[in-house]
Amino acid sequence: MSPPEPSAATPASPRLTLVVIARDEAAQNGTCLESARALVDAMIVLDTGSRDKTVAIAKAAGAKVYPFEWGDDFAAARNAALAQSRTPWNLILDADERLAEGAERLRAEVAKPADFIGVLPVVSDFDLAGQVETSTAWIPRLLPAGVRYQGRVHEQPVSEWPSVRLPVLIHHSGYRRSALARKQGRNRRLLLAMLAERPEDAYLRDQLGKDCEVYEDFEEAARQYQRALQASALLPRQPAYRHDLVVRALFALKRAGALEQAIALAEQEMPHWPQSPDFFFALSDLLLDWAIRHPEQAAQEILPVVEQARLKSLEIGEQPSLEGSVRGRGSFLAAHNLAVLNKQLGRLDEAEDYRGRAQTLRSQPKNDKIKV
């Protein structure tokens, strides 16, 4: 006799586990778990030594909590958490993240065979000139069973499965100033330890540059970004993070006062980024500093190029598929800078038009659907 057909009420086999590592994240861990609870079949929280209510909050949300002795190794913690999962798929979130959109797409993907790595857009808040802006990074976060991490910090999953970008948006708040203050020094120490073993690793140099940049050590950030660019040039294929690396290098060199080096880098890289609003936004800021340094050339030679770069950013529009792209550089931030420039040049009608355009663009929803 053949087995009966399953009824609609028969539960499907578990497919997806949420996997989180946390320590003293009581203020955010509940939001993280709640954002994914309806989509996953199980939730695992690996606690690395919390002294607040992180564990109690996780248990109340329905997560299984496992203690883990922290040993300055994020990959070891990730792998210990993954070892507790019993499903074909694992969704990786940090405690200061939440699943923001894409639930239906996630359900569809985990119904498939677990034979690829899901790369998801992680949209991070950061503070800039009194405003909260966002940038997008594409990070492997949907992992098949058996995939494990390497790296003490900024750890990466190691697998031969192909990577597939999925429009399943994760929101991250860990780059706000208050969060950065709590973590200062931790990542740099771990990155330096890894670089002692692999001094020419482009990815590690890039991450060290970011750590220096967020704490406003721009001279060291510029040095690290330049070393990362040199190392990445030797790779057989350019990494996806190179766009972010180039734009950050231009910014750090500018803030460090190394304008000649920054302009040389911009000239070298311009052919590679014709559709990057972030590149032309950084270029316009760099050239504006050059105009201030060389006022005799500003009106006739430099400011027209500044204007062209800002117009190019606005023409290209937002490109969140580019690694590290900052929201606004292809819309309201570019329009605002054009308003400022036109006012400085005495074009008051044009300045007012761009000011209104900037306000309109800024008022648009932050979480537009991210295309892959």
Side-chain angles (χ1 to χ4, degrees), residues 17-22 29 31-37 40 44-45 78 90-100 106 120-122 140-142 149 168-171:
T17 297
L18 173 65
V19 180
V20 179
I21 63 173
N29 198 37
T31 302
C32 169
L33 298 174
E34 188 62 32
S35 74
R37 182 165 62 173
V40 301
I44 290 170
V45 173
R78 298 272 188 213
N90 296 297
L91 174 66
I92 312 300
L93 292 181
D94 287 337
D96 56 3
E97 296 174 340
R98 60 179 173 84
L99 195 62
L106 185 60
L120 277 53
V122 179
R141 289 301 185 86
L142 183 64
Y149 282 86
V168 180
L169 190 147
I170 296 169
H171 180 263

Side-chain angles (χ1 to χ4, degrees), residues 47 50 57 97 125 162 167 177 195 205 239 251 275-276 313 354 359:
D47 184 75
S50 294
I57 291 170
E97 296 174 340
D125 291 345
R177 287 197 180 97
L195 280 165
R205 290 288 172 194
F251 174 75
Q275 292 301 311
S276 169
S313 293
Y354 279 116
Q359 290 178 339

Side-chain angles (χ1 to χ4, degrees), residues 43-206:
M43 298 191 295
I44 290 170
V45 173
L46 191 85
D47 184 75
T48 62
S50 294
R51 288 178 284 186
D52 62 5
K53 295 182 179 180
T54 295
V55 170
I57 291 170
K59 288 181 177 178
K64 291 184 178 179
V65 180
Y66 298 90
F68 183 79
E69 185 176 351
W70 178 247
D72 280 350
D73 191 326
F74 279 92
R78 298 272 188 213
N79 294 339
L82 286 166
Q84 302 298 330
S85 174
R86 299 294 180 265
T87 53
W89 288 103
N90 296 297
L91 174 66
I92 312 300
L93 292 181
D94 287 337
D96 56 3
E97 296 174 340
R98 60 179 173 84
L99 195 62
E101 64 181 47
E104 293 303 319
R105 181 62 181 269
L106 185 60
R107 287 191 186 98
E109 295 299 331
V110 300
K112 300 176 182 177
D115 57 4
F116 64 91
I117 302 289
V119 181
L120 277 53
V122 179
V123 177
S124 298
D125 291 345
F126 65 96
D127 298 285
L128 179 66
Q131 299 281 349
V132 179
E133 307 297 355
T134 61
S135 64
T136 302
W138 291 81
I139 305 176
R141 289 301 185 86
L142 183 64
L143 307 183
V147 173
R148 296 295 185 261
Y149 282 86
Q150 288 183 1
R152 298 180 194 178
V153 66
H154 297 296
E155 62 284 2
Q156 295 291 305
V158 178
S159 174
E160 295 183 359
W161 292 120
S163 294
V164 178
R165 283 190 170 192
L166 304 174
V168 180
L169 190 147
I170 296 169
H171 180 263
H172 173 234
S173 61
Y175 289 153
R176 299 294 304 276
R177 287 197 180 97
S178 57
L180 289 171
R182 291 191 294 115
K183 297 184 285 188
Q184 187 167 6
R186 181 198 67 187
N187 287 1
R188 189 176 304 196
R189 174 170 51 82
L190 298 178
L191 283 165
L192 289 171
M194 293 175 69
L195 280 165
E197 301 167 1
R198 306 200 306 273
E200 301 308 317
D201 189 304
Y203 176 74
L204 294 178
R205 290 288 172 194
D206 174 49

